[in-house]
Amino acid sequence: MIDASDLARILDANRCDSVERRPFRVGDPDIEPLIDFVREGNISMPFSTDTQGREEAIIELFRATFTASEGAGEGALIGDLVRNLLASTAQPDRFVFTAEEEGAIIGGILCSRLTYEQDQRTVFVLAPVAVATDQQGKGIGQRLLTHGLATLRSAGVDIAMTYGDPGYYAKVGFKPISEADAPAPFTLQQPEGWLAQSLTDRAMTALKGPSRCVQALNDPVFW
């Protein structure tokens, strides 16, 4: 659904001297292309990698989102994980991506280094990922993931991994991979959710383990 903020962004990006305002409805032949444009996620959204002074807002996004979907215990667990990732992970070993709307953080991804001791390729795991409960279903998560993956690719990351819903992550290029081809730091509780994609022009091939994650994720409860 197109709302006032969507139209404002379109008008701001396409300045003109006058604008004709008239009622419209879905089905109008001259309006349908605009609706498709918005549905496909072409309205620009501010993304950020800046965490300084925003740590508590990022932590609260994850705590509240996971509380709403999984309960207070899971919300507290993931909130603490995000706090630890932000506080204890060295800058070269992590990326943080957030999506914003009117100054509020409405989506976030934390990515951290996954080291394969016998493999020289650079690997990062995307986890956790959250979109504010009242913003879900708008394509924000996929747009944020697409942005994050493009940034990782530009930074020279060879392979992106994640651990989640295969159907959802397939939309941004992830494919299931076996633990034999990419050993996880701990035995996976849901191995069907172990996913990967190559960020280079080379096909994904087996990673030579064992693997080691950052300290904040170094707990079997997260795997």
Side-chain angles (χ1 to χ4, degrees):
M1 178 179 180
I2 301 175
D3 60 22
S5 64
D6 292 328
L7 291 175
R9 292 174 192 169
I10 293 169
L11 294 175
D12 187 59
N14 298 273
R15 296 288 187 181
C16 57
D17 295 331
S18 62
V19 177
E20 178 187 0
R21 297 180 181 272
R22 63 179 176 83
F24 67 86
R25 62 185 178 184
V26 174
D28 286 352
D30 54 344
I31 293 299
E32 278 297 317
L34 175 59
I35 293 175
D36 289 340
F37 182 83
V38 174
R39 284 173 177 162
E40 291 168 6
N42 292 304
I43 298 297
S44 62
M45 170 175 289
F47 296 118
S48 176
T49 57
D50 182 23
T51 61
Q52 188 171 7
R54 311 170 81 216
E55 293 90 347
E56 291 302 322
I58 295 170
I59 293 164
E60 177 57 21
L61 165 72
F62 282 88
R63 187 205 64 77
T65 301
F66 279 85
T67 294
S69 62
E70 306 291 340
E74 188 71 7
L77 179 69
I78 300 303
D80 287 344
L81 168 61
V82 172
R83 184 180 300 279
N84 291 334
L85 280 167
L86 293 175
S88 68
T89 309
Q91 288 285 347
D93 294 331
R94 70 168 169 87
F95 290 84
V96 181
F97 305 107
T98 58
E100 303 174 17
E101 185 174 73
E102 298 181 356
I105 297 174
I106 59 172
I109 305 171
L110 275 77
C111 308
S112 57
R113 190 180 298 274
L114 197 57
T115 302
Y116 283 82
E117 295 183 3
Q118 301 174 35
D119 205 305
Q120 295 185 345
R121 284 172 290 180
T122 302
V123 183
F124 273 74
V125 59
L126 285 70
V129 178
V131 174
T133 302
D134 63 352
Q135 299 291 333
Q136 293 175 9
K138 300 180 181 180
I140 293 168
Q142 289 183 43
R143 291 159 66 185
L144 182 55
L145 283 163
T146 299
H147 169 76
L149 289 166
T151 303
L152 293 177
R153 184 179 293 109
S154 296
V157 175
D158 296 297
I159 295 170
M161 310 282 294
T162 195
Y163 186 35
D165 178 4
Y168 179 78
Y169 287 102
K171 297 174 183 177
V172 290
F174 283 97
K175 297 179 181 179
I177 191 167
S178 73
E179 292 180 79
D181 286 333
F186 296 91
T187 301
L188 298 175
Q189 301 172 51
Q190 297 179 312
E192 67 278 6
W194 194 222
L195 312 167
Q197 66 173 289
S198 172
L199 298 181
T200 71
D201 56 3
R202 299 182 297 277
M204 173 81 186
T205 57
L207 287 157
K208 301 173 184 178
S211 65
R212 183 177 71 254
C213 59
V214 299
Q215 184 58 40
L217 277 170
N218 194 37
D219 187 323
V221 71
F222 299 121
W223 301 90

